[in-house]
Amino acid sequence: MSEWVLDQSWGLPVLLAFLVIVFVFESRKAFKAYKEKRRFELGWSLLFALVALLAMIVLVAY
């Protein structure tokens, strides 16, 4: 399934756009959690933001 999506002309841009949205959303959530001193939510938001960022780098590099 994933190979089929990436083989489509729209596959990579759509996937990258989704990852950018996830990265921005989670980064904003992490910043808000940091300001409100909620460490558990901060940790999970940072984790998801980093995973999205790494996925974008891997997709663009390969």
Side-chain angles (χ1 to χ4, degrees):
M1 175 76 177
S2 62
E3 287 180 26
W4 177 81
V5 170
L6 291 177
D7 286 341
Q8 305 303 313
S9 62
W10 51 265
L12 187 61
V14 168
L15 190 54
L16 280 174
F18 173 74
L19 288 171
V20 167
I21 291 169
V22 169
F23 177 73
V24 169
F25 175 76
E26 291 297 335
S27 297
R28 292 181 68 203
K29 198 164 116 180
F31 182 72
K32 185 177 178 182
Y34 176 75
K35 283 175 56 177
E36 296 175 3
K37 295 186 174 36
R38 292 186 291 181
R39 299 208 185 275
F40 183 76
E41 199 170 319
L42 171 64
W44 280 110
S45 295
L46 284 176
L47 175 71
F48 288 133
L50 287 175
V51 167
L53 182 63
L54 287 174
M56 284 187 288
I57 291 170
V58 167
L59 279 175
V60 170
Y62 298 103

